[in-house]
Amino acid sequence: MSDIDSVDIIDNGAAVAVRFGDGRRARFHAAWLRDNATDAATRSPGNGQRLVTLTDIPPDTTIERAEAGAETVSIRFAPDGKTVDFAAPYLIAGIYDRESDRAAGWVDGGIETWDGSLDAGLAVASFDAVREDRESLGRWLALVRRLGFAALSGGPIASGALCDVVALFGFVRETHYGRWFEVVSEVAPVNLAYTNAGLQAHTDNPYRDPVPTLQVLYCLRNSADGGDSLLVDGFRAAARLRDENPAWFDLLSSHCARFEYAGSPGVKLRARRPMIELAPDGELVAVRFNNRSAAPITDVPYDKMADYYRAYRRFAEVIDDPAMAVTLKLEPGECFIVDNTRVLHGRRAYSGAGTRHLQGCYADRDGLLSTLAAIEDQRGERFP
Ligand code: FE2
């Protein structure tokens, strides 16, 4: 079986219709094909970067000849007479000729949303394994892509070790909090009755634009009772809100909230973004939720504000629902990484004597996904 079955010029040369060996059919426009030509004059053979601009290509480009080879489609363009061969896998990867049946809030097929029934133990790897073995590292990074979080155990109990975790895939993103920050809570023995308040699940730094897309929280000491970390999948929470009340989902996704932080000298951070952020085609791209840094919302019309607040309250209730949360009790030398555009983190209340000392830092998801893609490229297969 050849990769290409047939190719036909359609619409007077404005496009071709390709039938692939596996039965798939797709149309491609002349302008799309010419812009995405893979010949050495159009794309650098070294780094794959495009060497021409769109305005270098004649605006009246059409297809004057199309031939099906066993593994390629050969196209001759008019008016410049240029002939380019397109490999079948390249065309298949570029197929855009399909009906769109995506509802607002759709997520990429590689994402798996979850609630409290998820076994978080499945998302834990050993620090030594991911440091020494690229395959283990890839499998661990793929958890972050799929679930929005992953944990490590058996790391060193040393200040700054969280930076070594980030160095496995990318770079620490420094902020005014420093390269990393301390999260220390002490409960004095004399205050046994004292209960340290829990912390509502939130995303960090929504007042930054761009927001830090990853956070690492690393445990150095944890002798307190309780105080477990909890994680909530913001994408699942958004989907639940949408399923319960699509109008409320629309209110939160089509209006900007405001966030600000001015708690340190010389710092006045502000961002205007929706709590549920969609791409123009409805893809769910980010959730921002943080009661402590929410600023007055001034971008919702008067007529809609009452309903906006109902939607906001319901979204908060869904996030607070214990059935949504996965609990992680971090021991010294253990850490987790969260996708801060998706997974909210918080802390359960804790009581009794003890100290809890975590260090946190930020990093960026594009670097993590790049490292993961490079590992997958090398092994020739995608991790689940
Ligand atoms: Fe936080």
Side-chain angles (χ1 to χ4, degrees), residues 62-382:
T62 56
I63 297 156
E64 64 177 14
R65 201 186 66 204
E67 279 177 41
E71 294 166 357
T72 60
V73 171
S74 177
I75 302 282
R76 192 170 77 209
F77 295 97
D80 58 8
K82 188 179 180 69
T83 299
V84 180
D85 287 345
F86 293 88
Y90 182 76
L91 287 179
I92 288 171
I95 289 176
Y96 59 90
D97 184 9
R98 63 172 84 86
E99 293 300 317
S100 178
D101 54 356
R102 292 160 160 171
W106 65 274
V107 295
D108 184 84
I111 285 177
E112 179 187 329
T113 67
W114 45 266
D115 61 16
S117 63
L118 177 79
D119 178 1
L122 298 176
V124 185
S126 119
F127 184 88
D128 285 343
V130 299
R131 201 183 43 185
E132 285 156 20
D133 174 38
R134 296 275 289 172
E135 177 86 7
S136 300
L137 176 61
R139 204 174 304 117
W140 187 68
L141 298 177
L143 290 168
V144 181
R145 179 176 62 195
R146 180 159 56 90
L147 301 174
F149 80 98
L152 282 181
S153 63
I157 303 168
S159 179
L162 76 176
C163 298
D164 299 338
V165 174
V166 173
L168 292 166
F169 60 80
F171 303 92
V172 169
R173 178 160 158 197
E174 252 179 88
T175 67
H176 77 274
Y177 296 117
R179 193 163 156 72
W180 71 76
F181 49 89
E182 310 289 334
V183 188
V184 182
S185 316
E186 288 194 48
V187 186
V190 289
N191 289 337
L192 284 182
Y194 178 73
T195 299
N196 198 310
L199 201 54
Q200 185 185 36
H202 59 276
T203 60
D204 262 31
N205 289 206
Y207 41 78
R208 284 181 201 281
D209 190 2
V211 76
T213 45
L214 293 174
Q215 179 174 191
V216 176
L217 274 174
Y218 197 105
C219 179
L220 296 177
R221 190 164 172 210
N222 192 1
S223 59
D225 288 336
D228 302 359
S229 298
L230 58 89
L231 302 178
V232 174
D233 186 353
F235 279 13
R236 173 64 73 89
R240 216 177 119 180
L241 181 72
R242 183 195 58 197
D243 295 346
E244 283 181 16
N245 193 324
W248 285 357
F249 177 88
D250 287 348
L251 276 170
L252 294 190
S253 59
S254 59
H255 295 94
C256 283
R258 289 181 184 247
F259 301 94
E260 62 184 40
Y261 177 84
S264 311
V267 176
K268 218 161 171 53
L269 288 157
R270 289 187 180 128
R272 193 184 83 91
R273 288 287 167 135
M275 292 194 204
I276 297 173
E277 184 177 2
L278 305 180
D281 62 357
E283 182 187 16
L284 176 54
V285 291
V287 164
R288 288 177 186 77
F289 190 85
N290 190 318
N291 67 305
R292 286 167 293 151
S293 55
I297 295 163
T298 53
D299 299 282
V300 177
Y302 179 86
D303 293 356
K304 295 184 175 175
M305 188 61 91
D307 276 339
Y308 184 93
Y309 261 91
R310 288 184 189 103
Y312 179 12
R313 174 178 294 273
R314 184 59 195 149
F315 193 39
E317 287 169 353
V318 169
I319 286 166
D320 289 344
D321 179 353
M324 295 292 287
V326 155
T327 298
L328 289 177
K329 167 106 177 153
L330 288 183
E331 301 295 340
E334 295 181 347
C335 69
F336 65 78
I337 181 165
V338 286
D339 178 341
N340 190 49
T341 65
R342 172 182 167 190
V343 172
L344 300 84
H345 61 280
R347 186 184 65 207
R348 294 206 190 282
Y350 55 106
S351 59
T355 304
R356 186 173 179 270
H357 181 192
L358 308 182
Q359 289 181 331
C361 75
Y362 301 114
D364 285 307
R365 195 177 53 151
D366 57 354
L368 183 151
L369 294 176
S370 161
T371 301
L372 172 56
I375 294 172
E376 290 178 327
D377 232 29
Q378 212 167 21
R379 77 196 286 264
E381 203 185 341
R382 197 179 142 100

Side-chain angles (χ1 to χ4, degrees), residues 14-36:
V16 288
V18 180
R19 198 168 77 193
F20 295 96
D22 61 6
R24 265 186 283 194
R25 296 160 184 266
R27 294 168 296 176
F28 298 91
H29 289 94
W32 188 96
L33 289 165
R34 180 61 193 87
D35 188 37
N36 291 297

